[in-house]
Amino acid sequence: MSLREVVNDPAKKPALVKDCTTLVDEEVAAKSGLSGLAVKAGYAAVKGIKPGFIAEVVDKLLKDFADQLDPIWAEGVAKGKPVDHFTANKSRVADALLSITDAKSKNARSSTVRGAYDKLRGSAKKNVEEAVPRLARLLEKHVK
């Protein structure tokens, strides 16, 4: 099963959205130091827009994310180890995900979202790369 198929499966998508939202929450909570404080503050501002906002955004972005990530995932499947392949290609994965969020942030209606994204974009690739191994395991759980 491809990532696109999971995202397009109404029986599977809600659990994927929930797990991805939890992953984002936990990744942000694990950040430390000054950069971690900035990430946490920006995330809190965006999360405070309305209850369920992060899950709503995840739900809306999943199709685009799957379109970008499916080729990388398929390469890993062909090699027999999609999680290892994703992790080994964490820079590609991060670039693929950030290409979507960069485009979406430019059109965000909320100045809070745009402002938080712009402030955190400089460190975003490093943060996304750090989350890739966990993301890969999450995806493997849902693709099976």
Short mmCIF file of all heavy atoms in Angstrom, two decimals, residues 98-141:
data_model
loop_
_atom_site.label_atom_id
_atom_site.label_comp_id
_atom_site.label_asym_id
_atom_site.label_seq_id
_atom_site.Cartn_x
_atom_site.Cartn_y
_atom_site.Cartn_z
N LEU A 98 8.88 20.40 3.71
CA LEU A 98 8.97 21.86 3.82
C LEU A 98 8.58 22.57 2.54
O LEU A 98 8.11 23.71 2.58
CB LEU A 98 10.37 22.27 4.28
CG LEU A 98 10.68 21.89 5.72
CD1 LEU A 98 12.16 22.09 6.03
CD2 LEU A 98 9.81 22.65 6.70
N SER A 99 8.72 21.91 1.39
CA SER A 99 8.26 22.53 0.14
C SER A 99 6.75 22.76 0.20
O SER A 99 6.25 23.77 -0.31
CB SER A 99 8.63 21.68 -1.07
OG SER A 99 7.85 20.50 -1.15
N ILE A 100 6.03 21.86 0.85
CA ILE A 100 4.58 22.00 1.00
C ILE A 100 4.25 23.10 2.01
O ILE A 100 3.45 23.99 1.73
CB ILE A 100 3.95 20.66 1.49
CG1 ILE A 100 4.21 19.54 0.48
CG2 ILE A 100 2.46 20.83 1.75
CD1 ILE A 100 3.66 19.76 -0.89
N THR A 101 4.88 23.05 3.18
CA THR A 101 4.54 24.04 4.21
C THR A 101 4.99 25.44 3.81
O THR A 101 4.32 26.41 4.14
CB THR A 101 5.13 23.65 5.59
OG1 THR A 101 6.55 23.48 5.47
CG2 THR A 101 4.48 22.37 6.10
N ASP A 102 6.10 25.55 3.08
CA ASP A 102 6.53 26.87 2.59
C ASP A 102 5.46 27.48 1.70
O ASP A 102 5.09 28.64 1.85
CB ASP A 102 7.84 26.77 1.81
CG ASP A 102 9.06 26.53 2.69
OD1 ASP A 102 8.97 26.65 3.93
OD2 ASP A 102 10.14 26.22 2.11
N ALA A 103 4.97 26.68 0.76
CA ALA A 103 3.95 27.17 -0.17
C ALA A 103 2.65 27.52 0.57
O ALA A 103 2.04 28.56 0.29
CB ALA A 103 3.68 26.12 -1.25
N LYS A 104 2.26 26.67 1.50
CA LYS A 104 1.00 26.91 2.23
C LYS A 104 1.11 28.14 3.14
O LYS A 104 0.13 28.88 3.27
CB LYS A 104 0.61 25.69 3.06
CG LYS A 104 0.31 24.45 2.25
CD LYS A 104 -0.91 24.58 1.41
CE LYS A 104 -1.21 23.27 0.71
NZ LYS A 104 -2.37 23.33 -0.14
N SER A 105 2.27 28.34 3.77
CA SER A 105 2.39 29.47 4.70
C SER A 105 2.26 30.81 3.99
O SER A 105 1.77 31.77 4.56
CB SER A 105 3.71 29.40 5.47
OG SER A 105 4.80 29.76 4.65
N LYS A 106 2.69 30.86 2.74
CA LYS A 106 2.58 32.11 1.98
C LYS A 106 1.12 32.52 1.80
O LYS A 106 0.82 33.70 1.66
CB LYS A 106 3.26 31.97 0.63
CG LYS A 106 4.76 31.90 0.73
CD LYS A 106 5.39 31.69 -0.62
CE LYS A 106 6.89 31.49 -0.46
NZ LYS A 106 7.53 31.05 -1.66
N ASN A 107 0.23 31.54 1.76
CA ASN A 107 -1.19 31.82 1.54
C ASN A 107 -2.04 31.70 2.80
O ASN A 107 -3.26 31.74 2.72
CB ASN A 107 -1.74 30.86 0.47
CG ASN A 107 -1.05 31.05 -0.85
OD1 ASN A 107 -0.78 32.17 -1.27
ND2 ASN A 107 -0.73 29.95 -1.53
N ALA A 108 -1.38 31.55 3.95
CA ALA A 108 -2.12 31.40 5.21
C ALA A 108 -2.93 32.66 5.49
O ALA A 108 -2.42 33.78 5.35
CB ALA A 108 -1.17 31.11 6.35
N ARG A 109 -4.18 32.47 5.86
CA ARG A 109 -5.04 33.61 6.19
C ARG A 109 -4.69 34.23 7.52
O ARG A 109 -4.90 35.41 7.74
CB ARG A 109 -6.50 33.17 6.21
CG ARG A 109 -7.07 32.98 4.81
CD ARG A 109 -8.47 32.47 4.88
NE ARG A 109 -8.34 31.02 4.73
CZ ARG A 109 -9.31 30.16 4.78
NH1 ARG A 109 -10.52 30.55 5.01
NH2 ARG A 109 -9.10 28.89 4.62
N SER A 110 -4.14 33.44 8.41
CA SER A 110 -3.83 33.90 9.76
C SER A 110 -2.43 34.52 9.81
O SER A 110 -1.44 33.88 9.47
CB SER A 110 -3.89 32.72 10.74
OG SER A 110 -3.34 33.09 11.98
N SER A 111 -2.37 35.76 10.25
CA SER A 111 -1.07 36.41 10.42
C SER A 111 -0.27 35.72 11.52
O SER A 111 0.96 35.73 11.49
CB SER A 111 -1.24 37.90 10.70
OG SER A 111 -1.97 38.10 11.89
N THR A 112 -0.96 35.13 12.49
CA THR A 112 -0.28 34.39 13.55
C THR A 112 0.45 33.19 12.96
O THR A 112 1.62 32.94 13.30
CB THR A 112 -1.29 33.91 14.62
OG1 THR A 112 -1.96 35.05 15.15
CG2 THR A 112 -0.61 33.14 15.73
N VAL A 113 -0.19 32.46 12.08
CA VAL A 113 0.43 31.30 11.44
C VAL A 113 1.61 31.74 10.59
O VAL A 113 2.71 31.18 10.69
CB VAL A 113 -0.60 30.52 10.59
CG1 VAL A 113 0.08 29.45 9.75
CG2 VAL A 113 -1.67 29.89 11.48
N ARG A 114 1.41 32.75 9.75
CA ARG A 114 2.49 33.23 8.88
C ARG A 114 3.68 33.72 9.71
O ARG A 114 4.83 33.40 9.41
CB ARG A 114 2.01 34.36 7.97
CG ARG A 114 1.32 33.88 6.72
CD ARG A 114 1.13 35.01 5.70
NE ARG A 114 0.59 36.24 6.27
CZ ARG A 114 -0.69 36.51 6.47
NH1 ARG A 114 -1.60 35.60 6.16
NH2 ARG A 114 -1.08 37.65 7.00
N GLY A 115 3.40 34.51 10.73
CA GLY A 115 4.46 35.05 11.57
C GLY A 115 5.25 33.97 12.29
O GLY A 115 6.49 34.00 12.32
N ALA A 116 4.55 33.02 12.88
CA ALA A 116 5.21 31.93 13.60
C ALA A 116 6.06 31.10 12.63
O ALA A 116 7.20 30.75 12.93
CB ALA A 116 4.19 31.05 14.31
N TYR A 117 5.50 30.81 11.47
CA TYR A 117 6.23 30.00 10.48
C TYR A 117 7.49 30.73 10.03
O TYR A 117 8.57 30.15 9.98
CB TYR A 117 5.33 29.67 9.29
CG TYR A 117 5.97 28.66 8.36
CD1 TYR A 117 5.87 27.30 8.62
CD2 TYR A 117 6.68 29.05 7.24
CE1 TYR A 117 6.46 26.36 7.80
CE2 TYR A 117 7.28 28.13 6.40
CZ TYR A 117 7.16 26.78 6.69
OH TYR A 117 7.76 25.86 5.87
N ASP A 118 7.34 32.00 9.71
CA ASP A 118 8.49 32.78 9.24
C ASP A 118 9.60 32.84 10.29
O ASP A 118 10.78 32.73 9.95
CB ASP A 118 8.06 34.20 8.84
CG ASP A 118 7.22 34.22 7.57
OD1 ASP A 118 7.19 33.21 6.83
OD2 ASP A 118 6.58 35.27 7.32
N LYS A 119 9.23 33.00 11.55
CA LYS A 119 10.22 33.07 12.62
C LYS A 119 10.95 31.74 12.81
O LYS A 119 12.12 31.72 13.17
CB LYS A 119 9.56 33.47 13.93
CG LYS A 119 9.18 34.94 14.00
CD LYS A 119 8.52 35.27 15.30
CE LYS A 119 8.02 36.71 15.27
NZ LYS A 119 7.17 37.04 16.41
N LEU A 120 10.26 30.64 12.60
CA LEU A 120 10.83 29.32 12.87
C LEU A 120 11.40 28.64 11.64
O LEU A 120 12.06 27.60 11.76
CB LEU A 120 9.77 28.42 13.51
CG LEU A 120 9.23 28.92 14.84
CD1 LEU A 120 8.06 28.06 15.30
CD2 LEU A 120 10.33 28.95 15.88
N ARG A 121 11.19 29.20 10.46
CA ARG A 121 11.59 28.52 9.23
C ARG A 121 13.09 28.25 9.17
O ARG A 121 13.54 27.24 8.67
CB ARG A 121 11.13 29.32 8.00
CG ARG A 121 11.50 28.69 6.66
CD ARG A 121 11.00 27.26 6.58
NE ARG A 121 11.25 26.64 5.30
CZ ARG A 121 12.33 25.90 5.02
NH1 ARG A 121 13.26 25.70 5.93
NH2 ARG A 121 12.46 25.34 3.83
N GLY A 122 13.90 29.14 9.72
CA GLY A 122 15.35 28.97 9.67
C GLY A 122 15.84 27.67 10.29
O GLY A 122 16.79 27.06 9.81
N SER A 123 15.19 27.23 11.35
CA SER A 123 15.59 25.99 12.03
C SER A 123 14.69 24.81 11.67
O SER A 123 14.88 23.71 12.18
CB SER A 123 15.57 26.20 13.54
OG SER A 123 14.26 26.51 13.98
N ALA A 124 13.76 25.03 10.77
CA ALA A 124 12.76 24.00 10.48
C ALA A 124 13.37 22.73 9.89
O ALA A 124 13.00 21.62 10.28
CB ALA A 124 11.69 24.54 9.54
N LYS A 125 14.31 22.87 8.96
CA LYS A 125 14.85 21.67 8.32
C LYS A 125 15.51 20.76 9.35
O LYS A 125 15.29 19.55 9.34
CB LYS A 125 15.82 22.02 7.20
CG LYS A 125 16.29 20.77 6.46
CD LYS A 125 17.00 21.07 5.19
CE LYS A 125 17.43 19.78 4.52
NZ LYS A 125 18.12 19.99 3.27
N LYS A 126 16.31 21.35 10.23
CA LYS A 126 16.96 20.55 11.27
C LYS A 126 15.92 19.85 12.14
O LYS A 126 16.05 18.66 12.43
CB LYS A 126 17.84 21.45 12.13
CG LYS A 126 18.49 20.77 13.32
CD LYS A 126 19.26 21.80 14.15
CE LYS A 126 19.73 21.25 15.45
NZ LYS A 126 18.71 21.18 16.48
N ASN A 127 14.88 20.57 12.53
CA ASN A 127 13.84 19.98 13.37
C ASN A 127 13.09 18.87 12.65
O ASN A 127 12.78 17.83 13.24
CB ASN A 127 12.87 21.06 13.85
CG ASN A 127 13.51 21.99 14.86
OD1 ASN A 127 14.33 21.58 15.66
ND2 ASN A 127 13.16 23.26 14.81
N VAL A 128 12.79 19.07 11.38
CA VAL A 128 12.08 18.04 10.61
C VAL A 128 12.98 16.82 10.43
O VAL A 128 12.53 15.68 10.60
CB VAL A 128 11.58 18.59 9.26
CG1 VAL A 128 10.97 17.47 8.41
CG2 VAL A 128 10.55 19.70 9.48
N GLU A 129 14.24 17.05 10.11
CA GLU A 129 15.17 15.92 9.96
C GLU A 129 15.24 15.08 11.23
O GLU A 129 15.27 13.85 11.16
CB GLU A 129 16.56 16.42 9.59
CG GLU A 129 16.69 16.89 8.18
CD GLU A 129 18.06 17.46 7.84
OE1 GLU A 129 18.85 17.75 8.77
OE2 GLU A 129 18.33 17.62 6.64
N GLU A 130 15.24 15.74 12.38
CA GLU A 130 15.28 15.02 13.65
C GLU A 130 14.03 14.15 13.85
O GLU A 130 14.09 13.12 14.52
CB GLU A 130 15.42 15.99 14.82
CG GLU A 130 16.78 16.66 14.88
CD GLU A 130 16.87 17.78 15.91
OE1 GLU A 130 15.84 18.13 16.54
OE2 GLU A 130 17.97 18.32 16.08
N ALA A 131 12.92 14.55 13.27
CA ALA A 131 11.66 13.82 13.44
C ALA A 131 11.48 12.70 12.41
O ALA A 131 10.59 11.86 12.56
CB ALA A 131 10.48 14.78 13.35
N VAL A 132 12.30 12.67 11.37
CA VAL A 132 12.10 11.71 10.27
C VAL A 132 12.10 10.25 10.73
O VAL A 132 11.23 9.48 10.31
CB VAL A 132 13.09 11.96 9.11
CG1 VAL A 132 13.09 10.79 8.12
CG2 VAL A 132 12.73 13.26 8.40
N PRO A 133 13.03 9.80 11.56
CA PRO A 133 12.98 8.37 11.95
C PRO A 133 11.64 8.01 12.61
O PRO A 133 11.06 6.95 12.32
CB PRO A 133 14.14 8.23 12.93
CG PRO A 133 15.09 9.31 12.54
CD PRO A 133 14.21 10.46 12.10
N ARG A 134 11.16 8.88 13.45
CA ARG A 134 9.87 8.62 14.12
C ARG A 134 8.72 8.68 13.12
O ARG A 134 7.80 7.87 13.19
CB ARG A 134 9.69 9.66 15.23
CG ARG A 134 8.58 9.34 16.13
CD ARG A 134 8.66 10.18 17.36
NE ARG A 134 7.41 10.05 18.06
CZ ARG A 134 6.96 10.94 18.90
NH1 ARG A 134 7.64 12.01 19.17
NH2 ARG A 134 5.80 10.75 19.49
N LEU A 135 8.79 9.62 12.20
CA LEU A 135 7.77 9.72 11.15
C LEU A 135 7.77 8.45 10.31
O LEU A 135 6.71 7.91 9.99
CB LEU A 135 8.02 10.94 10.26
CG LEU A 135 7.14 11.06 9.02
CD1 LEU A 135 5.67 11.22 9.41
CD2 LEU A 135 7.60 12.22 8.15
N ALA A 136 8.94 7.95 9.98
CA ALA A 136 9.04 6.73 9.16
C ALA A 136 8.39 5.54 9.86
O ALA A 136 7.65 4.77 9.23
CB ALA A 136 10.51 6.44 8.85
N ARG A 137 8.63 5.41 11.16
CA ARG A 137 8.01 4.30 11.90
C ARG A 137 6.49 4.47 11.97
O ARG A 137 5.74 3.49 11.86
CB ARG A 137 8.61 4.20 13.31
CG ARG A 137 10.06 3.73 13.30
CD ARG A 137 10.61 3.47 14.70
NE ARG A 137 10.58 4.63 15.58
CZ ARG A 137 11.53 5.56 15.67
NH1 ARG A 137 12.60 5.47 14.92
NH2 ARG A 137 11.41 6.56 16.52
N LEU A 138 6.04 5.71 12.12
CA LEU A 138 4.60 5.99 12.14
C LEU A 138 3.98 5.60 10.80
O LEU A 138 2.93 4.96 10.75
CB LEU A 138 4.38 7.48 12.43
CG LEU A 138 2.96 8.00 12.51
CD1 LEU A 138 2.94 9.23 13.40
CD2 LEU A 138 2.39 8.33 11.17
N LEU A 139 4.62 5.99 9.71
CA LEU A 139 4.08 5.68 8.39
C LEU A 139 4.06 4.17 8.15
O LEU A 139 3.09 3.64 7.61
CB LEU A 139 4.89 6.38 7.30
CG LEU A 139 4.80 7.90 7.29
CD1 LEU A 139 5.74 8.50 6.26
CD2 LEU A 139 3.37 8.36 7.04
N GLU A 140 5.12 3.51 8.56
CA GLU A 140 5.15 2.05 8.39
C GLU A 140 3.97 1.38 9.09
O GLU A 140 3.36 0.46 8.56
CB GLU A 140 6.48 1.49 8.93
CG GLU A 140 6.59 -0.02 8.74
CD GLU A 140 7.92 -0.53 9.25
OE1 GLU A 140 8.27 -0.25 10.41
OE2 GLU A 140 8.59 -1.24 8.49
N LYS A 141 3.65 1.87 10.27
CA LYS A 141 2.52 1.33 11.03
C LYS A 141 1.21 1.46 10.24
O LYS A 141 0.39 0.54 10.26
CB LYS A 141 2.42 2.11 12.36
CG LYS A 141 1.18 1.85 13.16
CD LYS A 141 1.16 2.77 14.39
CE LYS A 141 -0.23 2.97 14.90
NZ LYS A 141 -0.29 3.94 15.99
#
